[in-house]
Amino acid sequence: MQLIQQNPDLSAYLAADDVIDHRHPLVRETAARLAEESVDSYAYARAAYEYVRDAIPHSADSGDPRVTWRASDVLEKGTGICHAKAHALTALLRAEDIPAALCYQRLTHDAGTGWCVHGLIAVRFHGAWHRQDCRGNKPGVDAQFSLQGERLAWVPDTGEGEVDYPALFDAPHPAVLDVLRAAPDRPHLWENLPDSLAA
């Protein structure tokens, strides 16, 4: 699949905003600690990915009812769903001047009775974008950082209506962000996740 930058200006994928708040002290401190242990930008990107994937539990896996959406809050509270964790990883990458984009899949949800939008990221190395999924591993899910072929949590089944969206966003999609911001807790969020991205 050919990934498509929604914004042709690559600098947009380094920008900070209210969600990808990579100028926040906690984001900067976390990035600096990970960078100190890394020999180059590739090692840093892998370390940041593994930190978000492994040290911040997916709230549905852990049963945490709290909803986070701002990158610094994800790092502070140590919890989030896939979208929140993608925001945190994007902020950590941009904090070290590595272009990062948000991207999405449409997957089956609630034991196949519906769909939901799943969040992941893409990182830019060697003039190309590479998708990564930091939602967190569990039985049946073995996502890995890779620039040589994708190692995502899930591969969409197009026959079942699942979709890989090719668009790379410089900011969270409003359909996702609005639901995250409005949710009082994760059970409510789980019932109200968008089932597709508006065209």
Side-chain angles (χ1 to χ4, degrees):
M1 178 181 68
Q2 182 176 358
L3 300 173
I4 302 167
Q5 279 183 218
Q6 287 298 97
N7 190 329
D9 182 359
L10 189 60
S11 68
Y13 297 90
L14 292 167
D17 60 25
D18 186 44
V19 181
I20 313 299
D21 57 341
H22 65 73
R23 293 192 180 95
H24 187 281
L26 180 56
V27 179
R28 304 301 293 182
E29 289 165 18
T30 305
R33 178 171 47 80
L34 293 168
E36 189 175 315
E37 301 165 359
S38 303
V39 296
D40 57 23
S41 60
Y42 173 80
Y44 172 81
R46 178 188 290 276
Y49 167 85
E50 291 176 351
Y51 177 77
V52 174
R53 183 194 65 188
D54 300 339
I56 300 171
H58 189 291
S59 56
D61 295 347
S62 66
D64 194 320
R66 296 174 295 171
V67 175
T68 54
W69 49 267
R70 183 179 287 116
S72 58
D73 289 341
V74 176
L75 296 176
E76 179 187 355
K77 295 182 167 115
T79 189
I81 68 164
C82 59
H83 300 290
K85 293 183 68 167
H87 299 165
L89 179 54
T90 298
L92 288 173
L93 292 169
R94 292 182 184 182
E96 290 295 313
D97 295 320
I98 299 171
L102 296 159
C103 43
Y104 303 94
Q105 295 173 322
R106 181 186 194 231
L107 302 172
T108 55
H109 183 53
D110 286 338
T113 61
W115 291 271
C116 71
V117 174
H118 173 60
L120 51 160
I121 71 115
V123 60
R124 190 166 178 90
F125 273 107
H126 311 304
W129 290 100
H130 306 272
R131 293 192 305 168
Q132 315 293 331
D133 193 336
C134 62
R135 64 98 44 219
N137 290 338
K138 61 180 185 175
V141 175
D142 183 28
Q144 303 293 329
F145 185 85
S146 175
L147 303 185
Q148 287 81 38
E150 294 183 335
R151 298 282 306 277
L152 306 179
W154 293 285
V155 176
D157 183 343
T158 55
E160 294 295 325
E162 296 183 335
V163 174
D164 258 328
Y165 292 108
L168 301 174
F169 296 92
D170 59 357
H173 194 284
V176 171
L177 187 57
D178 291 349
V179 172
L180 283 167
R181 282 180 162 155
D185 55 36
R186 189 187 47 77
H188 179 276
L189 175 62
W190 223 236
E191 293 298 318
N192 292 279
L193 288 169
D195 61 7
S196 67
L197 295 184

